[in-house]
Amino acid sequence: MGKRRKPSPPSRARMVVLTTAVAGGAVLASGTAHAEPAPTLASVKEQVDRLNEEAEQAIERFNGFQEKQQKLQGEANRIQEKLARGQEAMNDLRTQLGVVGAEQYRNNGIDPGIQLMLDSDPASYLGRASVQDQVAGSWTSLLKRAQDEQRKLDQERAEAAATLADLDAVGASLNTQKNQIQGKLAQSEALLNKLSAEERAKINAQEAADKAKAAAQQAAAAERAKAADKEAADKAKAAAPAKETAGKGGTAAPQTPAANTPAPASNTPAPASNTPAPAAASTPPPVANTPAPPAAGGRAAAIVQFAYAQLGKPYGWSKTGPSSFDCSGLTGAAYRAANVSLPRTSQEQWKIGTRIGRGDLQPGDLVFFYPDLHHVGVYIGDGKMIHAPRTGKNIEVLAIGVMPYMGAVRP
């Protein structure tokens, strides 16, 4: 019986191949197990919308800091001008002090008693002594003025230093907000760049459909409200003759034929009044070249006409015109066209004027959206506004029901 041979150990090369194969299989298995699913169009749209909303919030903060920077810069310039004028006045005082001081030194170099003894003309000496007293009084007055001017200069220098420090802090905040805005817009663009042209078209079509649906719902609600108002008015009109007869002590019976006579006429328009409702529901939002509706004269007309003239211009963050605007930049420019000055940001614009209920809106009113009021538009009537939407979009007409409506102001 022969000896059994022991199996030879695997060679180093074979071990390396086996190890590599196992490791590669593990990596492949791991990669397969943890592969993330491709994002859906809905999730991409949701992310893009969120990033754009966050960017717009940062833009309004940027606008606020920019307005503060401009005010601080103006204040700093004013203080610097005061400092320059004060320094000039101080230099003049020092010159006068030098002249008076030199005169005092020349006249007071000898003891007054000795001067009197040596002077051959005592009357002349007394005259000079009187002049010296006046010089001394001028010296005292000049010294006081110089001290007062120096105190003012020190105060203005301290004020200027504080203002410039605030200006530096605001400048740093501006840079922070700018970086945030650019970062969010870049993320949004990167997400969109991953999509094909067909997928982008689908997102745009969905956005247009959402706007059309919101506009249709708003139009239908307005039509229902109008019909309810008409019905209430008709009932009040029909009840008026009966009340009048009862008030005169007569009976309502003789009025029955007359009351029934116009019934067909009052019922006749019913189909016509209901007819526009379906048409309104299927009508898309107005396009950019929609003509301006008749507006009230004066200020409201100027505001609305200016807003209509900007339709189709691109959104530009932190821009106030004339070639591009952000949301509060557009409303501010529209009101400037009517000789009314508004604060720079939407949140500050909310704080001025009279609050207006949704049912009392008139063309030219400012309408605000989102809980933090970071978006604003110009109301133009019929439940619609003109607004600057966001980066990548143009100024447009939009139903106010498309976004979270918060309220309105009439400055």
Side-chain angles (χ1 to χ4, degrees), residues 44 47-48 51 186-195 200:
V44 170
Q47 290 181 68
V48 168
L51 286 167
Q187 289 179 56
S188 173
E189 189 63 27
L191 283 169
L192 290 174
N193 285 338
K194 292 179 181 178
L195 302 176
R200 283 197 183 202

Side-chain angles (χ1 to χ4, degrees), residues 177-255:
Q177 296 302 322
K178 185 177 181 179
N179 291 337
Q180 286 184 10
I181 293 164
Q182 291 174 335
K184 292 182 186 302
L185 293 178
Q187 289 179 56
S188 173
E189 189 63 27
L191 283 169
L192 290 174
N193 285 338
K194 292 179 181 178
L195 302 176
S196 65
E198 182 181 358
E199 288 172 326
R200 283 197 183 202
K202 285 181 180 178
I203 285 183
N204 290 335
Q206 182 61 50
E207 186 175 325
D210 291 343
K211 289 180 179 179
K213 182 179 178 182
Q217 290 173 344
Q218 184 167 298
E223 197 65 31
R224 287 194 298 270
K226 192 185 296 183
D229 290 344
K230 185 178 184 304
E231 183 180 355
D234 289 344
K235 285 181 179 179
K237 187 177 179 181
K243 287 182 179 179
E244 185 179 349
T245 303
K248 292 179 179 179
T251 61
Q255 298 295 330

Side-chain angles (χ1 to χ4, degrees), residues 9-345:
S11 65
R12 181 184 298 274
R14 187 179 175 196
M15 286 294 291
V16 170
V17 171
L18 288 172
T19 304
T20 304
V22 171
V27 169
L28 181 62
S30 173
T32 304
H34 294 89
E36 294 183 1
T40 64
L41 283 180
S43 67
V44 170
K45 183 178 183 306
E46 183 181 352
Q47 290 181 68
V48 168
D49 289 344
R50 176 180 54 79
L51 286 167
N52 280 313
E53 185 178 340
E54 290 173 355
E56 190 173 20
Q57 291 171 331
I59 287 167
E60 286 302 292
R61 290 195 297 270
F62 178 91
N63 291 339
F65 280 118
Q66 193 173 54
E67 184 179 41
K68 186 175 181 181
Q69 183 188 50
Q70 291 168 356
K71 288 180 179 177
L72 283 170
Q73 187 62 63
E75 182 68 11
N77 292 341
R78 185 187 64 78
I79 295 171
Q80 294 289 0
E81 289 173 1
K82 279 178 63 179
L83 270 172
R85 290 194 300 269
Q87 189 63 57
E88 187 176 350
M90 190 67 192
N91 291 340
D92 289 343
L93 282 171
R94 283 174 176 161
T95 301
Q96 294 178 50
L97 282 168
V99 171
V100 174
E103 184 68 23
Q104 271 199 329
Y105 177 80
R106 284 196 300 271
N107 294 330
N108 293 340
I110 303 174
D111 182 85
I114 298 175
Q115 278 189 323
L116 180 59
M117 289 172 56
L118 296 177
D119 201 302
S120 58
D121 186 356
S124 173
Y125 168 78
L126 292 174
R128 289 198 306 274
S130 175
V131 170
Q132 289 173 12
D133 288 341
Q134 292 175 9
V135 170
S138 297
W139 172 264
T140 304
S141 175
L142 285 171
L143 274 179
K144 186 177 184 308
R145 283 174 55 196
Q147 289 170 350
D148 291 342
E149 283 295 330
Q150 188 62 56
R151 275 195 296 269
K152 281 198 291 185
L153 278 175
D154 292 342
Q155 184 177 351
E156 285 164 5
R157 285 196 183 99
E159 188 179 352
T163 301
L164 291 173
D166 288 344
L167 197 55
D168 289 342
V170 168
S173 297
L174 270 175
N175 288 332
T176 299
Q177 296 302 322
K178 185 177 181 179
N179 291 337
Q180 286 184 10
I181 293 164
Q182 291 174 335
K184 292 182 186 302
L185 293 178
Q187 289 179 56
S188 173
E189 189 63 27
L191 283 169
L192 290 174
N193 285 338
K194 292 179 181 178
L195 302 176
S196 65
E198 182 181 358
E199 288 172 326
R200 283 197 183 202
K202 285 181 180 178
I203 285 183
N204 290 335
Q206 182 61 50
E207 186 175 325
D210 291 343
K211 289 180 179 179
K213 182 179 178 182
Q217 290 173 344
Q218 184 167 298
E223 197 65 31
R224 287 194 298 270
K226 192 185 296 183
D229 290 344
K230 185 178 184 304
E231 183 180 355
D234 289 344
K235 285 181 179 179
K237 187 177 179 181
K243 287 182 179 179
E244 185 179 349
T245 303
K248 292 179 179 179
T251 61
Q255 298 295 330
T256 304
N260 290 334
T261 302
S266 63
N267 291 332
T268 303
S273 64
N274 291 331
T275 303
S282 59
T283 303
V287 292
N289 59 1
T290 302
R299 190 181 80 165
I303 294 166
V304 171
Q305 287 166 9
F306 179 91
Y308 264 88
Q310 313 315 310
L311 287 173
K313 290 185 179 180
Y315 177 97
W317 67 269
S318 196
K319 300 296 183 182
T320 58
S323 57
S324 62
F325 301 82
D326 61 19
C327 69
S328 55
L330 174 63
T331 53
Y335 268 76
R336 280 198 301 276
N339 296 318
V340 178
S341 178
L342 294 184
R344 178 62 182 92
T345 67

Side-chain angles (χ1 to χ4, degrees), residues 314-373:
Y315 177 97
W317 67 269
S318 196
K319 300 296 183 182
T320 58
S323 57
S324 62
F325 301 82
D326 61 19
C327 69
S328 55
L330 174 63
T331 53
Y335 268 76
R336 280 198 301 276
N339 296 318
V340 178
S341 178
L342 294 184
R344 178 62 182 92
T345 67
S346 57
Q347 290 92 343
E348 291 301 313
Q349 290 176 6
W350 169 259
K351 297 176 183 178
I352 63 171
T354 305
R355 300 288 167 83
I356 303 298
R358 192 163 180 169
D360 298 320
L361 282 169
Q362 294 179 10
D365 291 342
L366 298 176
V367 282
F368 296 82
F369 304 88
Y370 298 98
D372 64 349
L373 307 169

